[in-house]
Amino acid sequence: MAAEIFNPRSEDKADQEGGAEPLDSFDPAFALHRGGKMAVQATVPVRDKDDLSLAYTPGVARVCTAIAEQPELVHDYTWKSSVVAVVTDGTAVLGLGDIGPEASLPVMEGKAILFKQFGGVDAVPIALACTEVDEIVETVVRLAPSFGGVNLEDISAPRCFEIERKLQERLDIPVFHDDQHGTAVVTLAALRNAARLSGRTIGDLRAVISGAGAAGVAIAKMLVEAGIGDVAVADRKGVVSRDRDDLTSVKAELAAFTNKAGISGSLEVALEGADVFIGVSGGTVPEQAVASMAEGAFVFAMANPNPEVHPDVAHKYAAVVATGRSDFPNQINNVLAFPGIFAGALQVRASRITEGMKIAAAEALAAVVGDDLSADYVIPSPFDERVAPAVTAAVAAAARAEGVARA
């Protein structure tokens, strides 16, 4: 008998017609997602005509008029200063790739409930039926009056770099591509603690990043900003270096501020004697390449679900091992960063998120570990209740220090 092709829509139809059992009956993920994972909830009662006249007409007109006369009042009398748009075009969803806007919605809903759960920030999923850079930018600009910030999510590289840059130029609210900067913040925090554990500083380390996409580029930029000794980035064709003639504009910019040692060739060549491996690319790094790293090295293999270096292999050679998975110690998880970063930025009505604010977030996150630092604990758990308040306070203070706070 030929194997049947799984088609969720046909399953739904059969369910409606009394045919096959619903997907919920044998897969708890479908049971959890039925009807979606979020809803809009009122924060004020509408129990009688007096409530109605305040929440809607005629009372609402007085508030609208006041905002029209003093636009800054929108932050005090609407939810604008506590709500973020989670925007995607569905082109780089988790490990699934370009699956389109509708299929991205379960992930965007998930992101929105993480904002609320871990940062107290309301978020609205917005999946766009367009992929061209300027169309996305124009759409988000037109939506922006309703939101206090924009979290770009699961947009493929290199378009994501240009989209973020153009939106930052045109909007006066925080725009943050979490796939880039959230990963970079948590990576820097874990690396600071790994260095502290070994009696070193960031400046003592030479790092190699596998992957020159959104996360790899952002991590490289943040490590350089934080004072890393040296960092080289490798893509599918080898180390990104100035002597290559096949670089995109993004990678050419990357080559200009990384790889001070002038390494050319493969990832394996770059790993010889390196202190840190950071994987954000997938694939598998040969064990002999890991063995060639410096004594006391750190391996952060963050591809999901299969790390570039399996922890069992990494532990043979590395002093500290981190992954992107929750079933191993030291999970590099973006949820440690983005809720607190946006909460801090919204708290002070920041016009943008600066490099200083991101580094402050990383430092606050690293500090949560404190004296409990160990090889299996260089980064706190997402469920550590100290994380979001610490990151929020640090980001708000950095926004004030850098002159981008408006409250």
Side-chain angles (χ1 to χ4, degrees):
M1 181 183 292
E4 292 186 355
I5 298 175
F6 172 66
N7 185 331
R9 292 184 179 179
S10 66
E11 291 280 357
D12 289 344
K13 184 177 180 181
D15 180 28
Q16 293 166 6
E17 295 175 353
E21 285 189 81
L23 294 169
D24 304 25
S25 64
F26 58 87
D27 189 331
F30 282 90
L32 183 143
H33 281 80
R34 181 172 286 279
K37 299 195 291 287
M38 56 186 295
V40 174
Q41 181 177 352
T43 61
V44 296
V46 184
R47 298 161 300 196
D48 51 37
K49 65 181 182 64
D50 291 333
D51 288 344
L52 182 60
S53 69
L54 289 174
Y56 201 52
T57 185
V60 73
R62 299 197 296 275
V63 181
C64 293
T65 301
I67 293 172
E69 294 172 352
Q70 300 180 62
E72 68 276 8
L73 292 178
V74 70
H75 298 284
D76 297 311
Y77 296 106
T78 73
W79 76 338
K80 181 180 174 74
S81 278
S82 62
V83 66
V84 169
V86 181
V87 178
T88 189
D89 63 357
T91 55
V93 181
L94 293 177
L96 303 174
D98 186 354
I99 60 174
E102 287 88 353
S104 77
L105 271 175
V107 178
M108 300 309 114
E109 287 183 3
K111 196 79 175 192
I113 64 175
L114 294 180
F115 264 110
K116 188 67 173 179
Q117 174 73 23
F118 293 104
V121 173
D122 289 301
V124 178
I126 298 178
L128 301 179
C130 59
T131 59
E132 198 273 325
V133 168
D134 287 335
E135 285 187 349
I136 292 174
V137 170
E138 290 297 330
T139 302
V140 175
V141 167
R142 284 166 170 74
L143 289 169
S146 296
F147 299 98
V150 176
N151 186 88
L152 300 174
E153 189 75 20
D154 293 350
I155 298 173
S156 63
R159 294 175 311 116
C160 60
F161 302 112
E162 187 176 3
I163 290 168
E164 183 186 48
R165 177 181 58 78
K166 287 187 172 184
L167 285 173
Q168 288 172 337
E169 290 172 352
R170 294 187 58 182
L171 297 178
D172 66 347
I173 58 175
V175 178
F176 185 83
H177 185 208
D178 184 53
D179 300 318
Q180 294 181 58
H181 311 300
T183 304
V185 166
V186 183
T187 300
L188 175 58
L191 190 57
R192 280 194 183 282
N193 276 340
R196 179 163 70 94
L197 182 66
S198 65
R200 291 178 285 179
T201 68
I202 291 285
D204 298 323
L205 305 176
R206 179 172 74 83
V208 177
I209 299 172
S210 175
V217 171
I219 291 170
K221 287 182 177 179
M222 183 159 285
L223 292 185
V224 169
E225 187 76 19
I228 190 82
D230 195 11
V231 56
V233 183
D235 61 12
R236 291 185 180 88
K237 297 181 180 179
V239 176
V240 175
S241 58
R242 298 181 186 184
D243 59 0
R244 281 178 50 178
D245 59 6
D246 61 344
L247 300 179
T248 64
S249 59
V250 171
K251 291 180 183 179
E253 179 187 352
L254 186 64
F257 67 84
T258 61
N259 193 16
K260 292 188 293 187
I263 299 170
S264 297
S266 66
L267 171 70
E268 289 80 1
V269 169
L271 281 176
E272 292 180 15
D275 301 295
V276 185
F277 167 76
I278 297 171
V280 284
S281 65
T284 301
V285 177
E287 182 171 346
Q288 59 267 31
V290 181
S292 74
M293 295 178 68
E295 185 177 353
F298 313 140
V299 171
F300 292 4
M302 299 187 290
N304 264 316
N306 299 311
E308 294 88 349
V309 183
H310 192 278
D312 292 344
V313 173
H315 277 298
K316 294 181 184 180
Y317 311 101
V320 176
V321 177
T323 71
R325 289 173 44 159
S326 59
D327 54 345
F328 293 108
N330 297 325
Q331 184 191 18
I332 307 296
N333 191 328
N334 290 8
V335 76
L336 288 162
F338 68 81
I341 289 174
F342 267 101
L346 293 174
Q347 184 180 96
V348 298
R349 300 177 188 172
S351 58
R352 59 193 176 95
I353 294 173
T354 65
E355 289 300 313
M357 291 162 71
K358 288 181 278 187
I359 288 178
E363 292 174 345
L365 185 55
V368 169
V369 171
D371 294 336
D372 296 324
L373 181 64
S374 70
D376 284 342
Y377 185 54
V378 297
I379 199 75
S381 162
F383 296 98
D384 188 324
E385 294 181 356
R386 299 171 297 171
V387 167
V391 173
T392 299
V395 168
R400 292 189 178 100
E402 300 209 339
V404 297
R406 293 175 290 191

